[in-house]
Amino acid sequence: MSVVRPHRLSRRAFLQASVGLAATLPLASCGPPVQRAGEAALAPGHLATLGLASEVLWPSVDGQPGANGPEVAARAARLLAVAPPKLQGDVRLMLETLDRLAFLGGSLRGLAGLDPTRRRRYLTGWRDLGLAASDRLWAGLVRLTGTLTYMSPTTWPGIGFPGPWVGRLDVGLGLRNERPLSANPNPSWDAPHPLAQEPPHGR
């Protein structure tokens, strides 16, 4: 077996690999892998790949917490379990594609087979390919991992997010958000709400 050497992704290598991958894994022109009844939305391998990718894309910066792979994976498993089937399939397709094409980054064992430096080079290679398919995968991966990472309260101080207002601030809906959205959005206004006033007499 020839030695797999790490290198940056190239368009030619990506397109050649995609042709072979299409025989075993659906790409953009086909549907995502089908989930069997009673099967979890993401298998352990999917979750491991997602956790590793999150730690690469959202590292700790200036001492502020970044992505915690196991926590991201656990959060994904919980949230995607109740997600629409189409979204579940898209996420599985994205993660399986990343793993199966990891040999382009120098690994025959998926993303887990790359050390952190090569893992980062491989993942950012998708961003730099300049192809529609790679752009979609990169955008989906960044949005998903970023959302799952910054759902953790430990990351909020680093981005200046004070936390959810529900239960802490009253913006006219009550602390428990129990009032309808038509309630006064500005507590400083006098009741009744200006838009709820009766029309002038004679109309």
Side-chain angles (χ1 to χ4, degrees), residues 1-5 103 106-109:
M1 178 182 295
S2 59
V3 177
V4 179
R5 300 184 184 281
F103 69 87
S107 170
L108 296 176
R109 297 188 296 110

Side-chain angles (χ1 to χ4, degrees), residues 18-146:
S18 297
V19 172
L21 182 63
T24 57
L25 183 68
L27 289 178
S29 61
C30 306
V34 177
Q35 180 183 2
R36 297 181 179 86
E39 189 176 45
L42 296 181
H46 295 135
L47 295 173
T49 296
L50 184 60
L52 290 172
S54 298
E55 291 179 343
V56 168
L57 299 177
W58 305 100
S60 172
V61 176
D62 295 332
Q64 297 293 338
N68 179 299
E71 288 185 3
V72 166
R75 198 171 291 125
R78 184 174 66 255
L79 295 177
L80 287 171
V82 295
K86 175 65 167 59
L87 176 58
Q88 294 177 347
D90 286 346
V91 173
R92 289 196 300 271
L93 176 61
M94 175 180 68
L95 297 173
E96 289 176 15
T97 300
L98 279 176
D99 261 345
R100 296 198 184 195
L101 289 184
F103 69 87
L104 294 174
S107 170
L108 296 176
R109 297 188 296 110
L111 202 62
L114 297 170
D115 62 45
T117 299
R118 291 192 296 164
R119 194 175 296 151
R120 181 175 184 82
R121 185 183 303 128
Y122 168 65
L123 290 178
T124 55
W126 286 86
R127 176 197 63 194
D128 301 332
L129 275 175
L131 297 170
S134 62
D135 287 346
R136 286 195 298 271
L137 185 144
W138 172 257
L141 182 65
V142 168
R143 290 170 183 168
L144 178 62
T145 56

